[in-house]
Amino acid sequence: MTNEKVDVLSAEEQQKILEKYDPESNTRKLTGVFQKVVFVGLLAFSLFQLYTAIFGVFTAQIQRSVHLGFALALIFLLFPARRGKRKSGKLQVAWYDIVLALLSIYVGLYWPLHIDKIVMRVGMLSDQDFYTGVLAVLLVLEATRRAVGLPITIIAILFLSYGYFGEMMPGFLRHSGLSLQRLVQTMFFTTEGILGTPLGVSSTFIFLFLLFGSFLVKTGVGQYFNDLAVAIAGRSTGGPAKVAIFSSALQGTISGSSVANVVTSGSFTIPMMKKLGYKKEFAGAVEAAASTGGQLMPPIMGAAAFLMVEFIGGGLTYWDIAKAAAIPAFLYFAGIWIMTHFEAKRIGLSGLSKEEMPNRKEVFKKIYLLIPIIAVIVLLTAGVTVTHAALYSIAIAIVVGFINRDSNMKLVDIVYALVDGARTALGVAAATAAAGIIVGIVTKTGLGLKLANGLLDIAGGHLLPTLFLTMIAAIVLGMGSPTTANYVITSTIAAPAIILLGVPDLSAHLFVFYFGIIADITPPVALAAFAAAGVSGGEPIRTGVQSAKLAIAAFIIPYMFVLSPQLLMIDTTITELLWVIFTAVTGMIAIGAGMVGYWMRSLHWIERVVAVGAGVMLINPTVWSDVIGLGSFVILLVLQFVWKRK
């Protein structure tokens, strides 16, 4: 499709919006020596990760500490101490940031250089060990503040304080307290703190898939997603909105950030929606809701999905999680699709004109650009390890890039893809290191079990109240925090409470995973919606409210797969699965019509209430609720036909 038809945002405008709403994009614009140093550092970071992926990872402490050292040093060189503060002139990086970067390198190399001595001391810290550990904690907190944001940094500090001042805590929160020596030892000299599972996953699986996403961008897949979406959905009712949904679902496979997805895809789809006749807030809301759902879409989900493999354990593979998430993801996007369709019908919008459509034949000729993504699915289903699946897919993406004439990929583009991939990994590395602090405190103090039991007491031991309280906790923690850190906190504190009530581990973990992601479009702090408002020119809070309304399915689906694990393909038959999908989609149609106030005609407020009620009944997986829900749905459908004929 030609960009002359709509006012697509320029790269500069996109960058300004990203810097405003996405902390990971607020970097210095380096030139000269510093630019070269950072470029080489990012390239070396990627090469280190590729080397260990190909030839085998080092000992956990070495692999993770080197990964951490790279990330911290590059963060201090790239991210200014204060947002928006950039120096011009010869010394673009403040002297203290250079010092912090050097100290980060020292911390990163401490384990590789001293591992034999540390092991021989058997948990006893020397003075050098102690001060290095303190330095590591402080560097992680400051790097996280710069690259990820203040919320997760404050939470990590609160957990550290809880670990140290345990004797002063009230009631069931009280514990014996950790000495400063023991606190430092846990944080940096075990694999339960900063160098724990979250950073371990970042230093292996997550980095490689971020690198894969970077190579997909270089091959031109991102632009192809837009063209393919327009070719498939452009002519339908309210076409541009459906293009946004389809495109954003695909973009989620190459973007681990809701905000980045909004700005990248939305700069193309939001102007199209506004031109067709959608209001600014609605256009932004469609993009925000769809882009946020990109992290829920298999085969490559948000970074937290990789953590889920390690947290659940029990032989669970990443493919098990991706497969289980497939139907809920389909229902999520189906819900948004249904509501945008009814909204388009309500205000009388059609699709794009024939002249605005791309040449479908030319678009489908390039379907081979999807081969790398298909390869990931095939490799994972064939039982190939996640690491090797990512490596092979990167290689396939490079081949496809050379084949695609439009991308005109060269060897230099491979280098830039490696650099860009490492850059996107910096925020994830900082977030997972900070998350490790939280996990370490939870493990050492037994806080997880205490809070899980406390949550059950408040909920009276009932499942639905426990789920509701967990949902609120995940949304609140997710406001302004990355999904990765949010998942770590809620999965160690809230998920155990759900599991204690007999819910399968996978259902419980996906429940908190979903609501951690949905926090990006839940007011009052809805970063994805605010970024969409920046693109559309709409009012941020109204856009957030609209996006939460459009994504109503996301607030319902997690309850569905907890109450009915068949949706996750757990212990189910094909017949049961098809019935659950049928009632779920039917319920989504009813809820969508009720929320928008239109079906085949405008709905009376009583019909809207009945429609939403029927949808909720269809979602509740019991025979009597399905009967009532389907009965109400059929009655409403008949009334629609009768009134439409009149």
Side-chain angles (χ1 to χ4, degrees):
M1 180 171 178
T2 57
N3 289 341
E4 292 78 19
K5 305 281 184 189
V6 290
D7 299 320
V8 179
L9 265 66
S10 66
E12 291 76 15
E13 290 171 320
Q14 292 181 40
Q15 186 60 33
K16 285 181 181 178
I17 295 170
L18 277 172
E19 289 172 4
K20 185 175 181 180
Y21 297 107
D22 185 13
E24 294 181 30
S25 300
N26 192 47
T27 56
R28 293 181 170 108
K29 304 297 182 286
L30 299 174
T31 58
V33 174
F34 285 111
Q35 183 186 38
K36 293 175 182 176
V37 168
V38 169
F39 185 90
V40 172
L42 291 168
L43 180 60
F45 194 8
S46 282
L47 292 176
F48 166 76
Q49 294 293 155
L50 283 175
Y51 175 84
T52 56
I54 295 169
F55 299 104
V57 297
F58 294 107
T59 304
Q61 292 91 336
I62 293 177
Q63 177 78 19
R64 298 170 189 182
S65 63
V66 172
H67 179 82
L68 179 68
F70 266 118
L72 294 180
L74 290 164
I75 285 171
F76 288 122
L77 293 177
L78 272 172
F79 292 82
R82 282 190 289 171
R83 177 177 273 205
K85 185 178 180 181
R86 299 187 181 90
K87 288 193 171 190
S88 57
K90 292 183 179 179
L91 191 62
Q92 291 179 296
V93 180
W95 65 268
Y96 51 82
D97 285 337
I98 298 173
V99 172
L100 290 174
L102 292 173
L103 289 173
S104 299
I105 295 171
Y106 164 76
V107 166
L109 292 175
Y110 195 78
W111 263 100
L113 295 177
H114 299 88
I115 186 168
D116 292 336
K117 294 179 181 177
I118 295 171
V119 171
M120 289 295 290
R121 283 195 282 270
V122 196
M124 298 296 293
L125 302 185
S126 67
D127 289 343
Q128 186 180 5
D129 291 342
F130 176 78
Y131 291 118
T132 301
V134 171
L135 180 62
V137 172
L138 295 176
L139 289 173
V140 166
L141 292 173
E142 173 59 12
T144 303
R145 183 190 70 81
R146 295 190 187 194
V148 184
L150 200 55
I152 181 61
T153 310
I154 292 173
I155 292 170
I157 292 171
L158 288 175
F159 270 81
L160 283 170
S161 301
Y162 172 76
Y164 185 71
F165 295 107
E167 291 182 343
M168 300 170 63
M169 292 295 112
F172 71 90
L173 293 175
R174 183 183 175 86
H175 65 94
S176 59
L178 302 173
S179 67
L180 201 56
Q181 189 89 358
R182 193 176 173 197
L183 201 59
V184 171
Q185 181 188 3
T186 301
M187 288 300 105
F188 193 65
F189 293 96
T190 69
T191 53
E192 295 178 346
I194 291 172
L195 303 182
T197 298
L199 189 67
V201 176
S202 172
S203 67
T204 50
F205 312 143
I206 295 176
F207 191 99
L208 289 176
F209 273 98
L210 291 174
L211 206 55
F212 175 55
S214 179
F215 275 99
L216 286 180
V217 171
K218 291 296 180 185
T219 61
V221 171
Q223 180 57 45
Y224 182 68
F225 285 157
N226 289 334
D227 293 340
L228 183 62
V230 174
I232 293 173
R235 293 298 300 276
S236 61
T237 302
K242 293 173 181 176
V243 168
I245 297 166
F246 192 81
S247 174
S248 297
L250 294 172
Q251 288 281 3
T253 62
I254 62 176
S255 170
S257 165
S258 300
V259 174
N261 199 354
V262 164
V263 176
T264 304
S265 180
S267 64
F268 171 75
T269 59
I270 290 175
M272 277 202 305
M273 285 188 270
K274 287 169 61 181
K275 183 183 177 186
L276 189 68
Y278 283 108
K279 291 181 180 179
K280 294 176 182 178
E281 287 79 12
F282 190 85
V286 171
E287 182 57 52
S291 291
T292 300
Q295 293 188 66
L296 306 171
M297 177 60 71
I300 307 170
M301 301 163 66
F306 293 96
L307 286 171
M308 207 179 296
V309 178
E310 301 297 324
F311 277 40
I312 297 177
L316 191 79
T317 66
Y318 176 75
W319 179 244
D320 292 329
I321 292 171
K323 184 175 66 174
I327 294 174
F330 163 75
L331 293 175
Y332 175 84
F333 284 101
I336 302 174
W337 187 286
I338 289 164
M339 291 185 70
T340 53
H341 176 78
F342 287 149
E343 177 69 14
K345 297 284 282 186
R346 187 182 71 82
I347 59 180
L349 300 182
S350 58
L352 296 174
S353 66
K354 188 175 180 180
E355 292 72 27
E356 293 175 303
M357 290 289 291
N359 186 320
R360 288 187 176 181
K361 187 177 179 181
E362 292 299 318
V363 171
F364 287 114
K365 271 185 181 179
K366 295 183 181 178
I367 199 74
Y368 65 86
L369 289 174
L370 300 182
I371 290 175
I373 296 173
I374 296 170
V376 170
I377 300 172
V378 172
L379 290 168
L380 289 173
T381 53
V384 176
T385 63
V386 175
T387 301
H388 286 114
L391 280 174
Y392 298 150
S393 299
I394 288 171
I396 293 168
I398 293 172
V399 173
V400 169
F402 282 119
I403 294 172
N404 182 20
R405 293 177 183 176
D406 291 340
S407 67
N408 196 24
M409 196 171 185
K410 302 180 180 67
L411 287 174
V412 68
D413 292 316
I414 295 176
V415 174
Y416 278 107
L418 291 170
V419 169
D420 292 342
R423 189 186 296 265
T424 59
L426 298 181
V428 176
T432 50
I437 292 175
I438 296 164
V439 173
I441 296 298
V442 169
T443 303
K444 280 294 179 185
T445 61
L447 180 63
L449 187 58
K450 291 177 182 178
L451 287 178
N453 288 326
L455 190 62
L456 285 175
D457 288 340
I458 295 172
H462 299 294
L463 180 58
L464 283 176
T466 303
L467 292 176
F468 179 77
L469 291 172
T470 302
M471 174 189 75
I472 298 300
I475 290 174
V476 171
L477 287 168
M479 290 180 178
S481 296
T483 310
T484 310
N486 179 298
Y487 167 73
V488 169
I489 299 168
T490 51
S491 65
T492 53
I493 293 173
I498 304 174
I499 294 168
L500 286 172
L501 292 172
V503 174
D505 288 13
L506 184 54
S507 298
H509 281 261
L510 276 174
F511 185 89
V512 298
F513 174 68
Y514 253 73
F515 285 112
I517 289 172
I518 295 307
D520 279 348
I521 52 171
T522 307
V525 184
L527 294 182
F530 292 172
V535 177
S536 70
E539 202 280 320
I541 293 295
R542 286 181 184 173
T543 303
V545 171
Q546 282 275 21
S547 61
K549 179 181 172 183
L550 281 171
I552 188 68
F555 294 90
I556 299 171
I557 291 168
Y559 288 90
M560 290 170 60
F561 60 62
V562 168
L563 297 172
S564 179
Q566 293 96 326
L567 271 177
L568 302 180
M569 293 183 261
I570 297 175
D571 298 329
T572 186
T573 63
I574 292 294
T575 305
E576 290 175 333
L577 185 62
L578 290 175
W579 177 251
V580 170
I581 294 172
F582 168 72
T583 55
V585 172
T586 307
M588 291 298 171
I589 293 172
I591 289 172
M595 295 292 288
V596 174
Y598 191 92
W599 198 336
M600 297 176 190
R601 59 168 176 80
S602 294
L603 298 179
H604 188 271
W605 70 266
I606 295 176
E607 291 177 302
R608 295 181 68 172
V609 172
V610 172
V612 172
V616 172
M617 296 299 282
L618 283 165
I619 284 164
N620 187 25
T622 60
V623 175
W624 66 267
S625 64
D626 284 348
V627 170
I628 295 173
L630 278 173
S632 303
F633 182 88
V634 170
I635 291 170
L636 285 170
L637 189 61
V638 170
L639 287 174
Q640 291 289 303
F641 273 114
V642 171
W643 279 99
K644 188 178 181 183
R645 290 187 67 180
K646 286 184 178 181

